[in-house]
Amino acid sequence: MTGPEHASSLPSDPGELANSLMDQLVARAQRNLDRMRDLGDRMAAIRVTETSPDGAVTVTVDGTGALLDLELGAAIREWTPARFDEVVVGTAQRAAAAAFARHAELVTEFNESLSGKTGEL
């Protein structure tokens, strides 16, 4: 916001200048607040579903990796407890990793939007 073209667009009256600068500051703060709210909404909406390679276990997690749903197929009846643990935990870990990756993408987009590297969120 420097340079001759910017300086000529500023009001010459000190009171008007102060009002103009304050209006710009308020508008910028409102845009950033809107971006933060949007980020919060988008993060809260993250849902990732992962299914085990054999299709017997399906896990859904939220953006924090918290378990939202667990579906178990009939094949688990034949499994040992160790196999059950391995498949359920492994599937949940993959779902949580994908949710964390999406979470990180949203935060990166948000940070870039604040620094002016990309467009609005």
Side-chain angles (χ1 to χ4, degrees):
M1 292 188 132
T2 60
E5 69 283 347
H6 180 67
S8 65
S9 66
L10 294 175
S12 58
D13 175 56
E16 288 180 31
L17 177 61
N19 285 338
S20 175
L21 293 174
M22 185 57 72
D23 289 345
Q24 291 174 23
L25 180 62
V26 168
R28 181 177 176 197
Q30 185 61 53
R31 281 191 308 274
N32 288 343
L33 179 60
D34 291 343
R35 288 177 181 149
M36 288 190 307
R37 286 182 179 146
D38 183 53
L39 174 64
D41 291 345
R42 293 174 72 189
M43 291 170 87
I46 294 173
R47 299 290 182 271
V48 175
T49 299
E50 184 75 30
T51 300
S52 62
D54 61 5
V57 175
T58 300
V59 174
T60 300
V61 299
D62 68 10
T64 66
L67 183 66
L68 299 176
D69 190 34
L70 174 64
E71 298 175 23
L72 304 171
I76 67 160
R77 293 181 194 146
E78 308 298 322
W79 293 354
T80 64
R83 172 82 175 135
F84 177 83
D85 180 59
E86 174 188 332
V87 175
V88 171
V89 171
T91 305
Q93 286 175 334
R94 285 191 306 280
F100 296 151
R102 180 63 185 139
H103 188 276
E105 288 171 8
L106 292 175
V107 170
T108 298
E109 288 173 15
F110 173 78
N111 289 336
E112 288 175 350
S113 76
L114 290 181
S115 68
K117 291 182 181 176
T118 65
E120 301 287 319
L121 243 181

